[in-house]
Amino acid sequence: VKEATSATVTVEGPGFRVTCPADGTKLKAGETATLGVRPHDLETVETGGVEATVILVEALGPETVLHGSLADGGKIIAVLSGQNFAESG
């Protein structure tokens, strides 16, 4: 946790900083927190996002599932609408 107020919580990790609308009154700066994001709420961007290396692309007809690896070794999964031909690596 980078910063927490009654209206927002800001968290940082390897390659990202996110401010979420949430009641952070029970959190303190410097505490460890887990940020949960639904895979369908992620999208690919050229700049300004979470940096990840794509390790697997699953083209499943109406959607594409991207499996990625974060700089700290953590894993991330994004589910995108349609056919997204992101390259592994």
Side-chain angles (χ1 to χ4, degrees), residues 61-85:
E63 60 190 18
T64 301
V65 181
L66 301 179
H67 297 260
S69 178
L70 301 172
D72 69 349
K75 304 295 181 204
I76 189 166
I77 297 174
V79 179
L80 309 174
S81 294
Q83 296 294 306
N84 184 304
F85 295 100

Side-chain angles (χ1 to χ4, degrees), residues 16 24 48 53 57 62 69 71-72 87:
F16 73 93
T53 300
V57 178
S69 178
D72 69 349
E87 295 182 16

Side-chain angles (χ1 to χ4, degrees), residues 25-53:
T25 54
K26 294 184 180 180
L27 298 172
K28 294 181 182 168
E31 289 184 327
T32 299
T34 299
L35 175 65
V37 179
R38 295 182 186 276
H40 287 82
D41 291 335
L42 296 174
E43 59 186 40
T44 58
V45 295
E46 292 295 322
T47 59
V50 175
E51 195 169 310
T53 300

